[in-house]
Amino acid sequence: MNFEEYYVEISVLVASVISGLALKDYAVSFIKGFKFKLNAQFKEGDKVLLEGEQALIIKIGMTTTVFGVYGRDGYTWRYISNNRIEVLKLEKIVDKDLHADSAYEKAQKLKNILEGKDND
């Protein structure tokens, strides 16, 4: 077999494979970023816990998401590839003053309801 006859075809094939491998990570990151942006649970401006640290979602980009993190070094921006978003522990802060009632508090509220008092 004479490879010189197929030089152009082989060159195009090699270039296509190299381009495909180079763009694979970008394409995956783009799709995950788009999926995260469409996620109704999280949006820009939300307060979250990112790996246990209080943070703010600054920008959800197509390949990178930026979080403002309140840490011991002050307020910093953390740039995270969208490939890593699904493996991070990301929790949304709904109400930091909200707490579950203790058994005593539940009993007191029930007692107040039964006695017709305001539940304050």
Side-chain angles (χ1 to χ4, degrees):
M1 179 174 208
N2 190 358
F3 288 110
E4 293 173 1
E5 296 176 16
Y6 302 105
Y7 178 72
V8 173
E9 289 84 0
I10 291 172
S11 297
V12 169
L13 176 67
V14 170
S16 297
V17 170
I18 291 172
S19 298
L21 291 174
L23 292 176
K24 179 186 145 261
D25 289 337
Y26 180 79
V28 169
S29 184
F30 179 82
I31 290 169
K32 288 185 179 184
F34 190 67
K35 182 179 170 186
F36 186 59
K37 193 168 189 89
L38 293 179
N39 185 345
Q41 285 84 17
F42 295 102
K43 63 182 185 309
E44 293 173 1
D46 282 348
K47 293 179 182 178
V48 296
L49 292 177
L50 176 66
E51 298 290 321
E53 295 181 283
Q54 188 175 356
L56 180 71
I57 299 175
I58 302 296
K59 176 76 176 155
I60 301 173
M62 287 300 147
T63 58
T64 304
T65 298
V66 181
F67 293 90
V69 180
Y70 304 96
R72 58 187 163 100
D73 296 328
Y75 182 75
T76 58
W77 281 13
R78 187 174 298 169
Y79 297 84
I80 298 179
S81 170
N82 289 334
N83 289 338
R84 295 196 54 229
I85 292 290
E86 354 180 277
V87 297
L88 292 175
K89 183 176 180 187
L90 186 62
E91 303 168 275
K92 185 173 182 177
I93 299 173
V94 179
D95 185 354
K96 72 178 191 177
D97 296 326
L98 184 68
H99 71 281
D101 290 340
S102 67
Y104 174 79
E105 290 170 324
K106 289 178 184 176
Q108 191 64 40
K109 286 180 181 181
L110 182 59
K111 180 181 172 193
N112 288 343
I113 291 171
L114 293 174
E115 293 175 354
K117 296 181 183 176
D118 285 338
N119 194 15
D120 290 330

